[in-house]
Amino acid sequence: MRKGKIICDCDKLVTWYKPKTCPKGLSKDEFDALPPSITVREIYYHIVIPGFRTQQVSLITTLLDKVTYSTLEIVGLYGKRWDVELDLRYVKTTLGMDILRCKTPSMIRKEIHIYLLAYNLIRSLMWSAGTTYNTPPNRLSLQGTRHHLINFIPKLLAATSQKRHQIYRTLLKVIAHKAVPERPGRSEPRVRKRRPKIYPLITKPRHELRKQLQTA
């Protein structure tokens, strides 16, 4: 942060120059298309929230207008990326997309699309419950919403069209009343509670292992 034009504390404009040699990650045409220099904005700040592994952050952006894009707004927007990480974890862990079962690329794409469709449907249900009963949707539990929906599906399928709307309103009320409490500064260790099995890992196709057992 020693060079550049100072905008305010920990915020300044810096000019980056094109290197003389082409980096390995770019082709010759891509390197020639780059401008000789580019002006970027560097924002440097410290994180004092307990439990965060990152203590220092340096943001680089091309949003140079401080009046339109204030320093605090950019820092706050970057902080919200943690919600994106949580959403990816929900899709992989809560919905079970960490291990895909299909074998071909086309079927894998369809499987991923189904997971994303289910995730968006659950999120839309959380949004409807939160906006209907004045509860912030991001305070609702995705896993809890999933469980409530599974429990209500048989009742929704068996009900008449008029009764179905009443059951749906009850579902929204149940979801909204199960809000996750505020937990500022929450810090949890990255450990697993359950111990893994003592069996060895599978390193051969199953038919080879079966044949090995039969000939043993």
Side-chain angles (χ1 to χ4, degrees):
M1 298 296 290
R2 296 180 179 178
K3 298 180 180 179
K5 179 183 178 182
I6 298 177
I7 300 178
C8 63
D9 293 339
C10 301
D11 192 345
K12 62 173 53 181
L13 300 179
V14 180
T15 301
W16 287 0
Y17 295 95
K18 181 179 178 180
K20 296 181 180 180
T21 58
C22 179
K24 293 182 179 180
L26 295 179
S27 64
K28 183 69 166 55
D29 295 336
E30 291 174 336
F31 181 73
D32 294 337
L34 293 176
S37 63
I38 181 174
T39 301
V40 297
R41 185 175 171 188
E42 288 189 7
I43 301 175
Y44 183 84
Y45 63 96
H46 295 267
I47 296 179
V48 295
I49 301 177
F52 276 57
R53 289 176 294 171
T54 303
Q55 302 298 325
Q56 299 178 354
V57 177
S58 181
L59 295 181
I60 309 299
T61 177
T62 55
L63 304 176
L64 307 182
D65 189 357
K66 184 181 181 300
V67 178
T68 305
Y69 309 101
S70 68
T71 305
L72 293 178
E73 288 178 342
I74 294 179
V75 171
L77 182 62
Y78 183 73
K80 290 182 179 179
R81 89 193 194 288
W82 180 245
D83 295 333
V84 178
E85 299 290 341
L86 293 178
D87 292 337
L88 293 175
R89 187 189 69 178
Y90 290 141
V91 176
K92 292 190 296 183
T93 304
T94 305
L95 298 186
M97 203 187 73
D98 54 336
I99 299 178
L100 298 176
R101 293 166 176 80
C102 295
K103 303 300 182 182
T104 62
S106 60
M107 291 302 296
I108 286 178
R109 283 192 289 268
K110 292 180 181 179
E111 187 177 2
I112 293 175
H113 290 160
I114 291 298
Y115 275 110
L116 296 179
L117 177 61
Y119 176 78
N120 286 331
L121 289 175
I122 294 175
R123 282 295 184 186
S124 64
L125 189 60
M126 295 167 63
W127 177 266
S128 299
T131 54
T132 302
Y133 292 97
N134 298 322
T135 302
N138 58 356
R139 291 276 308 281
L140 300 179
S141 171
L142 186 137
Q143 182 72 303
T145 302
R146 175 171 167 265
H147 288 163
H148 293 317
L149 177 61
I150 293 174
N151 293 332
F152 270 76
I153 283 178
K155 299 179 182 179
L156 291 170
L157 293 176
T160 61
S161 57
Q162 184 176 3
K163 187 71 174 179
R164 189 177 296 122
H165 181 70
Q166 181 180 354
I167 296 176
Y168 176 74
R169 297 281 298 186
T170 304
L171 173 61
L172 296 183
K173 186 176 181 180
V174 172
I175 294 173
H177 288 187
K178 296 292 183 179
V180 178
E182 288 276 6
R183 293 175 288 188
R186 185 188 181 198
S187 179
E188 297 291 342
R190 296 176 64 88
V191 295
R192 293 188 299 173
K193 182 178 180 180
R194 292 186 177 182
R195 273 59 174 174
K197 303 293 184 180
I198 61 175
Y199 300 109
L201 298 176
I202 182 171
T203 57
K204 298 179 181 179
R206 289 188 177 272
H207 68 276
E208 294 185 11
L209 293 176
R210 293 193 191 101
K211 185 177 180 180
Q212 182 179 341
L213 289 174
Q214 295 171 359
T215 58

